[in-house]
């Protein structure tokens, strides 16, 4: 991985990525429903908060109606705590959320407003808190709440020191593996009206997990081979490079490209090595973990939207790849910070594939069928039409199979 990339504080990187989209681009945020107020008072104050943040020139709050519709559709209330703020921000796909509560004494309303960076090292700790108080009329007057500190806290991230390292595993010789946190929670897995094996159903991921931010790269895989002398188990007698050369004459072999021509068995072995090196359990994602991670809180076909054109911002597919794989991390990440979940290379999952598995799978942490003839592949590749790169699309191959469009990433607990 590029040395500079390793050092970037995740929150700062996110803020800068958004800001670099254009000189006038603001940083998206969402003002969540206020606790302790209801009806028109809540609506009035929250609109005023959003307007004042927007006036600050840096933050661009989502339309309040859109936030409320999302809450209503999910039967959610005002956030009960920091963890809920983070979860809400993630399904709203914004890097920052503002949450608040109010206490009313006589005609005085005391607000406590906090802003959270969802991708900081400690998202549960607010970046800044303000506590304006006054009558409803005074607070909802333009600029009446003095919210400058909330915007300033976001602004400060742009120039901050790199700060605490993001979650990183050191693989030796300066090679690292960056991780993103994927929150526990409920989501709808699958997509009705698409392919027969994608029956939409409720799934619960019981605990947070980390996932590698990028597809595993040549550099990382080579560290594993160098460190262990591992001889591979696959249809190419373990010589993944020889096999790869035979299939793609001019395949990019740079360290920052996703490793390909690795069987499921070899991907699993890489996970075991990372476990040994890091002292943390590392393995392939279950199919449910993979889809939870890919969606980043969305229900759309791609984490960027429903249209094929939306995919092109996030994933290398047959329409934008120029018929080759690409270095990891060049396109738009999802709300969890994960790159290339759509396209570039297919990704092995831990599970056996079962065509009708979704009909009978347990709600909580499904692990795939007991047995099968192939292992699950997810996300599509640079080679394929957009519909094969959807969040819900499933495929499979035998576990010793390798080719030049299949790679993987890891879950680390
Ligand atoms: Ca991929
Ligand atoms: Ca499929």
């Amino acid at each position: 991985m590029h040395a500079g990339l390793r050092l970037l504080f995740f929150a700062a990187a996110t803020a800068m990525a958004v800001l670099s989209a254009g000189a006038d681009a603001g940083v998206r945020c969402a003002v969540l429903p206020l606790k302790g107020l209801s009806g028109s008072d809540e609506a009035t104050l929250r609109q005023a908060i959003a307007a004042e943040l927007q006036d600050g020139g840096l933050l661009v709050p989502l339309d309040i109606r859109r936030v409320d519709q999302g809450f209503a559709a999910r039967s959610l209330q005002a956030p009960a705590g920091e963890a809920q703020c983070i979860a809400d921000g993630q399904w709203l796909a914004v890097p920052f959320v503002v949450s608040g509560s109010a206490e009313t004494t006589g005609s005085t309303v005391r607000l406590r407003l906090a802003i959270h960076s969802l991708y900081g090292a400690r998202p549960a700790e607010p970046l800044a808190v303000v506590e304006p108080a006054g009558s409803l009329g005074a607070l909802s007057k333009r600029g009446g709440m003095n919210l400058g500190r909330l915007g300033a806290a976001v602004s400060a991230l742009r120039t901050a020191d790199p700060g605490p390292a993001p979650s990183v595993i050191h693989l030796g010789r300066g090679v690292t593996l960056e991780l993103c946190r994927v929150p526990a929670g409920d989501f709808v897995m699958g997509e009705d009206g698409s392919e027969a094996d994608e029956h939409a159903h409720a799934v619960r991921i019981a605990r947070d997990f980390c996932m590698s931010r990028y597809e595993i790269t040549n550099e990382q895989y080579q560290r594993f081979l160098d460190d262990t002398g591992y001889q591979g188990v696959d249809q190419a007698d373990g010589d993944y490079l020889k096999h790869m050369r035979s299939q793609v004459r001019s395949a990019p072999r740079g360290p920052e490209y996703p490793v390909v021509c690795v069987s499921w068995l070899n991907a699993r072995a890489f996970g075991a090595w990372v476990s040994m090196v890091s002292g943390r359990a590392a393995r392939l994602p279950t199919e449910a973990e993979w889809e939870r991670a890919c969606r980043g809180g969305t229900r759309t076909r791609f984490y960027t939207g429903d249209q094929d054109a939306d995919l092109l911002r996030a994933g290398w597919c047959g329409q934008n790849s120029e018929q080759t794989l690409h270095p990891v991390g060049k396109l738009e990440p999802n709300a969890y910070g994960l790159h290339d979940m759509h396209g570039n290379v297919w990704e092995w999952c831990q599970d056996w594939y079962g065509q009708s598995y979704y009909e009978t799978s347990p709600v909580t942490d499904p692990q795939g069928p007991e047995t099968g003839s192939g292992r699950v592949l997810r996300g599509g590749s640079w080679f394929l039409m957009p519909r094969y790169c959807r969040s819900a699309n499933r495929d499979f191959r035998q576990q010793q199979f390798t080719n030049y469009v299949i790679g993987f990433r890891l879950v680390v607990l």
Side-chain angles (χ1 to χ4, degrees), residues 59 151 180 219 370:
L59 291 167
C180 295
E219 181 179 51
E370 290 290 307

Side-chain angles (χ1 to χ4, degrees), residues 19 21-27 57-58 60:
L19 289 165
D24 299 318
V27 181
L58 176 68
V60 180

Side-chain angles (χ1 to χ4, degrees), residues 132-207:
S135 68
L136 195 65
L139 288 175
S140 54
K141 216 168 55 190
R142 201 94 192 191
M145 284 176 284
N146 213 357
L147 303 182
R149 277 178 54 203
L150 302 186
V154 173
S155 187
L157 281 179
R158 300 165 65 188
T159 49
D161 289 336
S167 187
V168 161
I169 287 175
H170 294 273
L171 301 176
R173 309 229 169 122
V175 179
T176 57
L177 180 67
E178 278 190 57
L179 303 175
C180 295
R181 197 177 58 85
V182 178
D186 298 334
F187 75 109
V188 176
M189 185 173 183
E191 181 186 325
D192 282 334
S194 195
E195 295 182 35
D197 60 355
E198 295 176 16
H199 167 62
H201 62 295
V203 166
R204 168 165 295 175
I205 299 295
R207 64 166 173 166

Side-chain angles (χ1 to χ4, degrees), residues 262-269 284 348-350 375 399 401:
V262 284
S263 66
W264 180 93
L265 295 163
N266 292 353
R268 183 178 64 172
L284 292 170
W348 287 116
C349 291
Q350 177 175 269
R375 298 290 185 174
Q399 61 186 8
F401 181 82

Side-chain angles (χ1 to χ4, degrees), residues 126-295:
L127 291 175
V129 173
V130 291
E131 299 186 295
S135 68
L136 195 65
L139 288 175
S140 54
K141 216 168 55 190
R142 201 94 192 191
M145 284 176 284
N146 213 357
L147 303 182
R149 277 178 54 203
L150 302 186
V154 173
S155 187
L157 281 179
R158 300 165 65 188
T159 49
D161 289 336
S167 187
V168 161
I169 287 175
H170 294 273
L171 301 176
R173 309 229 169 122
V175 179
T176 57
L177 180 67
E178 278 190 57
L179 303 175
C180 295
R181 197 177 58 85
V182 178
D186 298 334
F187 75 109
V188 176
M189 185 173 183
E191 181 186 325
D192 282 334
S194 195
E195 295 182 35
D197 60 355
E198 295 176 16
H199 167 62
H201 62 295
V203 166
R204 168 165 295 175
I205 299 295
R207 64 166 173 166
D208 293 7
F209 60 91
C210 291
M211 180 177 258
S212 47
R213 185 171 176 176
Y214 309 107
E215 297 155 337
I216 299 302
T217 62
N218 285 320
E219 181 179 51
Q220 291 161 337
Y221 196 77
Q222 192 62 49
R223 266 300 297 143
F224 160 56
L225 298 183
D226 290 347
D227 200 39
T228 60
Y230 177 72
Q231 293 293 310
V233 183
D234 55 47
Q235 62 184 21
D237 304 323
D239 188 345
Y240 89 106
L241 288 179
K242 178 176 149 198
H243 185 56
M244 182 172 158
R245 278 193 298 271
S246 74
Q247 292 203 25
V248 230
R249 274 185 210 97
S250 57
R253 279 283 305 132
E256 72 281 28
Y257 284 83
V259 66
V260 292
C261 297
V262 284
S263 66
W264 180 93
L265 295 163
N266 292 353
R268 183 178 64 172
F270 179 88
W273 173 69
V274 172
S275 299
M276 192 185 70
V277 167
S278 66
R280 297 168 68 178
R283 55 167 172 75
L284 292 170
T286 68
E287 186 171 18
E289 287 167 342
W290 192 94
E291 188 165 329
R292 167 79 173 161
C294 176
R295 290 186 172 282

Side-chain angles (χ1 to χ4, degrees), residues 215 340-347 378-380 409:
E215 297 155 337
D340 303 308
M341 297 297 286
H342 299 302
N344 214 20
V345 293
W346 284 103
E347 298 171 22
R378 286 307 206 104
R409 77 177 74 212

Side-chain angles (χ1 to χ4, degrees), residues 46-64:
R46 196 145 60 104
Q47 288 288 4
I49 292 165
E52 191 168 329
L53 292 173
Q54 181 120 31
D55 285 349
L58 176 68
L59 291 167
V60 180
L62 294 187
D63 188 311
I64 299 285

